[in-house]
Amino acid sequence: MLSLASAACVGPIATSGPADLVGTTTTSSSTSTTTTTLPPATTTTTESPDEEPVDERLALGWLSPEGIPMSIIETDGHIRRVLTPCGNEAPIVLGTPLYQTTVVLDPGHGGPIDTGAWGAGGLREMDVNLRVALATQILLEHRGISVVLTRTGDYPTRLFVRSLLADTLQAELMVSIHHNAPTPSRSSRPGTEVFVQSGSEESARLGGLLWARVTRAFSIVDVAWSRARDSGVMTVINANGEDAYGMIRNPETPTALIELGYISNPAEARWFATDAYPFYVGLAVANAIVDYLTTQRPGVELGPGRVRDPLPGISSSQCVDPHLG
């Protein structure tokens, strides 16, 4: 079993099987510095020298000069209207086109109001979510899989906007990345939870693969875990019989929302704050996504599920769009 100190200075651990992704890691003699080196990643818009340029008028989304992804809702030549992170319509000219993508990663929360949960030392969930999403993107793009993030910086994005981006870009799957709170009972096992779309076999399979890969990676790390009794893969239904979480209810794209661990648990938060953590867990998430795309592995079965009415996302009055260029 890896100690917390050891886990903070190891790179992505490759497991057996054709879906594995391998990165290389170099570390200094101090466990506080970790540098993960990977070959340059491909991007959604990169074209081979032998390919004809893609007509921008066929773009489905748009990446602003600041790197903010948005759905195109209207186009006329080079004048486009996009849906901003706060759900407003806006014309935009400069930027980079986005076409159909394979994977959308959703780093949960963002902005000054919707920070998500907090951990020891002021660790913010929204920051850890984004770090994990960026690491996962690099690992997937290294395998030639196109990836778009719903959020690329510290700004708010409304839930329906995130969901629409995955649908607009015709993604094969979306994974929403989170870290949990409040802290339940201590456990010898990680308390990873995955929420899936009710009635969707593809969402359930994706969720089962994510849970299996992540819990296997976490199980060899020596951390004082926290875990709810019913942790696993499940649906969460509201009083109306609908999926309670907007990121599960809204998209047509097969989607799973993963709570990787408990940021409110100081022992887990210390690990989440390390430089190595995003690539360590990102490798597990990326491997699960490759499993989903390239195999028919079923993953673990659904648990009994929960009934809950969670808090809604940020409202239009709370959301302030970032600069779009």
Side-chain angles (χ1 to χ4, degrees):
M1 178 173 287
L2 292 175
S3 67
L4 181 58
S6 299
C9 60
V10 299
I13 293 181
T15 53
S16 61
D20 295 324
L21 307 166
V22 181
T24 59
T25 301
T26 57
T27 61
S28 69
S29 58
S30 168
T31 60
S32 62
T33 302
T34 303
T35 303
T36 303
T37 304
L38 288 165
T42 61
T43 66
T44 307
T45 56
T46 298
E47 298 167 3
S48 167
D50 298 328
E51 293 178 350
E52 291 293 327
V54 179
D55 190 341
E56 288 188 2
R57 289 173 296 181
L58 302 178
L60 302 173
W62 201 250
L63 198 66
S64 80
E66 288 76 16
I68 297 169
M70 294 169 286
S71 298
I72 291 177
I73 54 178
E74 181 183 348
T75 182
D76 179 13
H78 292 290
I79 304 300
R80 302 167 184 86
R81 296 190 68 80
V82 295
L83 193 67
T84 71
C86 288
N88 301 308
E89 294 187 16
I92 191 167
V93 177
L94 299 178
T96 305
L98 295 174
Y99 302 100
Q100 182 176 0
T101 192
T102 303
V103 175
V104 169
L105 298 175
D106 173 54
H109 308 288
I113 295 176
D114 186 17
T115 60
W118 288 75
L123 188 65
R124 302 186 302 181
E125 182 195 351
M126 67 177 184
D127 297 329
V128 183
N129 295 344
L130 181 58
R131 291 170 63 217
V132 171
L134 289 168
T136 305
Q137 179 183 28
I138 290 172
L139 291 163
L140 287 171
E141 289 183 340
H142 177 53
R143 285 290 297 269
I145 297 172
S146 59
V147 181
V148 172
L149 270 60
T150 62
R151 174 175 69 89
T152 56
D154 182 8
Y155 57 84
T157 307
R158 298 186 67 193
L159 295 179
F160 82 92
V161 175
R162 298 169 186 252
S163 302
L164 182 63
L165 183 65
D167 291 345
T168 300
L169 296 181
Q170 302 172 13
E172 294 188 39
L173 66 96
M174 177 164 59
V175 177
S176 187
I177 296 170
H178 292 257
H179 291 77
N180 221 340
T183 308
S185 301
R186 295 297 174 89
S187 173
S188 60
R189 294 182 292 164
T192 303
E193 299 178 352
V194 184
F195 307 122
V196 299
Q197 295 162 316
S198 58
S200 170
E201 293 183 1
E202 288 305 300
S203 175
R205 188 170 77 90
L206 174 61
L209 293 168
L210 284 166
W211 190 89
R213 282 286 193 174
V214 170
T215 55
R216 186 167 72 175
F218 280 4
S219 66
I220 64 171
V221 181
D222 187 12
V223 171
W225 300 105
S226 296
R227 181 176 179 270
R229 289 184 178 181
D230 64 345
S231 66
V233 184
M234 69 192 80
T235 58
V236 183
I237 306 300
N238 63 23
N240 296 323
E242 302 171 319
D243 289 314
Y245 297 117
M247 283 308 299
I248 295 296
R249 182 178 63 254
N250 294 333
E252 296 180 5
T253 303
T255 300
L257 187 156
I258 185 166
E259 297 277 5
L260 291 164
Y262 282 87
I263 196 172
S264 55
N265 175 2
E268 295 180 52
R270 283 193 295 271
W271 186 36
F272 298 159
T274 65
D275 291 338
Y277 171 73
F279 277 93
Y280 186 93
V281 71
L283 180 64
V285 173
N287 280 340
I289 290 171
V290 175
D291 288 344
Y292 177 87
L293 294 171
T294 64
T295 77
Q296 292 301 314
R297 296 176 188 171
V300 300
E301 294 183 359
L302 282 174
R306 296 173 181 168
V307 177
R308 178 179 297 174
D309 285 316
L311 294 174
I314 56 174
S315 66
S316 58
S317 61
Q318 295 173 313
C319 195
V320 177
D321 275 317
H323 179 66
L324 301 178

